[in-house]
Amino acid sequence: MSSSSSPVLDIRSVTRRYRERTAVDSASLSLARGETVCLLGPSGCGKSTLLRLAGGLEPVDDGEIEAEGRILSRPGLTAPPEGRGIGIVFQDFALFPHLTVIENVSFGIARLNSGERRARALSLLAMFHMQDRADAYPHMLSGGEQQRVAIARSLARRPSAILLDEPFSGLDGHLKGEVRRTVLAGLREAGASVLVVTHDPEEAMLMADRLALMSEGRILQTGTAEDCYLRPVSVAAARLLGEANVIPAQVSGARARTAFGDLPAGGLADGEAVAVIRPEAFTVDDGGALVSVKAVRFAGAHHVIDLAVGPVSARMRIACGTLPSLGSTRVSIDPSRARVFALA
């Protein structure tokens, strides 16, 4: 795998078992040079375990992991973390408390002379707007600052890839967005290849060049944020990226009938199905289906409207425009934000 187009990190059909439980089940995922991939899934789905396998902290039971033409893991072989050329940043950051910021960043590049180490460390700190804190100790830094130092340190040895495990989970709302933007800009400036584990769909979509959706140890879907959000491969994949109405449908003649209107059903055979409809897919439309409006709630950037047709309910989201009143209204569905799946 010497081609420049080859993956920097290639995880192929990897499985990890703990006695009776399979934590990672035949998972395959690649990371291209300079690419940011977000591994998204709920707690306990196996995403952090997959990161540990990639970092050499655990062995694989099946499959293999390769980086830049070298096999790092396969059954019976696990290259040690320090010999992989892969940087890992965990949630606790693991900075050395007795070293200053610049000493922490310089720690892994002892092969350089002192002047080169300092220059390299300062250039990395500047990418993350931390050069003015070079002589501070970790206890003097905020959580967001510690995180930026930890990522700068992981880049110091010029690894082929960086693995970040829930990097922003300990930060509050406003700070999280600010730190995320700074970190992402620094990683892009460094040309880093990054695999990020997160359970936050908005964070994943904002950061990633590509998403990998994971559930119950399996990779369900990979693709751009837009592809995964608008064209999920399953109900489970759709739900990983935010709220989705899942309502009964009946397919007949390539159309799916739902209580809220018809949708194209592609090549599905006639019969029972389910429609996955994003809340923003609904619009008020005098020519649409007649529905009952049960509640209208203000949610800051949008309004949330609870709809019902008989026993079937759905949630609608409107960012701007005319709001329906309680009672009856008519709605239509934007088919680009809805998918129909056959019943399993």
Side-chain angles (χ1 to χ4, degrees), residues 186-272:
L187 289 168
R188 292 203 186 285
E189 183 180 346
S193 308
V194 188
L195 178 59
V196 185
V197 159
T198 181
H199 66 274
D200 183 333
E202 181 180 7
E203 180 173 282
M205 288 189 283
L206 286 171
M207 287 193 70
D209 298 308
R210 262 189 322 127
L211 299 178
L213 308 182
M214 191 171 191
S215 178
E216 298 180 342
R218 289 183 169 272
I219 304 291
L220 303 181
Q221 182 174 4
T222 60
T224 66
E226 185 174 358
D227 282 340
C228 292
Y229 186 85
L230 296 178
R231 291 172 284 280
V233 297
S234 66
V235 173
R239 283 177 162 155
L240 287 178
L241 283 175
E243 189 173 5
N245 299 292
V246 181
I247 61 176
Q250 188 71 33
V251 175
S252 177
R255 299 290 294 175
R257 294 195 189 90
T258 80
F260 299 93
D262 289 0
L263 292 166
L268 293 185
D270 291 358
E272 293 184 355

Side-chain angles (χ1 to χ4, degrees), residues 58-315:
E58 295 191 33
V60 303
D61 294 307
D62 291 303
E64 59 185 18
I65 299 172
E66 182 174 334
E68 298 193 314
R70 184 164 68 101
I71 298 296
L72 301 179
S73 294
R74 63 184 175 210
L77 169 69
T78 306
E82 63 274 14
R84 290 186 166 229
I86 292 175
I88 311 174
V89 180
F90 292 107
Q91 295 177 42
D92 62 1
F93 312 139
L95 297 176
F96 299 115
H98 62 290
L99 299 181
T100 64
V101 163
I102 195 164
E103 289 169 342
N104 263 280
V105 177
S106 304
F107 183 82
I109 47 176
R111 69 186 184 281
L112 303 178
N113 65 45
S114 60
E116 290 171 331
R117 282 202 306 274
R118 182 172 179 83
R120 170 77 175 146
L122 283 174
S123 70
L124 286 167
L125 288 171
M127 290 179 187
F128 297 96
H129 304 164
M130 286 296 295
Q131 66 272 32
D132 293 340
R133 305 287 276 155
D135 296 321
Y137 285 89
H139 73 272
M140 301 165 65
L141 306 179
S142 68
E145 289 173 330
Q146 289 185 39
Q147 180 194 61
R148 282 181 273 168
V149 173
I151 294 173
R153 183 179 65 179
S154 73
L155 288 167
R157 297 176 68 180
R158 294 187 169 91
S160 58
I162 299 288
L163 312 179
L164 305 179
D165 189 14
E166 299 278 5
F168 310 108
S169 61
L171 305 178
D172 293 331
H174 171 70
L175 181 61
K176 179 186 288 191
E178 181 181 322
V179 172
R180 184 172 58 212
R181 286 190 294 272
T182 302
V183 165
L184 186 59
L187 289 168
R188 292 203 186 285
E189 183 180 346
S193 308
V194 188
L195 178 59
V196 185
V197 159
T198 181
H199 66 274
D200 183 333
E202 181 180 7
E203 180 173 282
M205 288 189 283
L206 286 171
M207 287 193 70
D209 298 308
R210 262 189 322 127
L211 299 178
L213 308 182
M214 191 171 191
S215 178
E216 298 180 342
R218 289 183 169 272
I219 304 291
L220 303 181
Q221 182 174 4
T222 60
T224 66
E226 185 174 358
D227 282 340
C228 292
Y229 186 85
L230 296 178
R231 291 172 284 280
V233 297
S234 66
V235 173
R239 283 177 162 155
L240 287 178
L241 283 175
E243 189 173 5
N245 299 292
V246 181
I247 61 176
Q250 188 71 33
V251 175
S252 177
R255 299 290 294 175
R257 294 195 189 90
T258 80
F260 299 93
D262 289 0
L263 292 166
L268 293 185
D270 291 358
E272 293 184 355
V274 291
V276 176
I277 305 171
R278 296 292 183 191
E280 70 275 12
F282 290 109
T283 56
V284 176
D285 181 353
D286 290 340
L290 182 65
V291 303
S292 297
V293 178
K294 299 296 186 181
V296 178
R297 299 183 181 89
F298 176 71
H302 57 265
H303 283 78
V304 175
I305 298 97
D306 293 335
L307 307 175
V309 176
V312 183
S313 60
R315 181 158 289 176

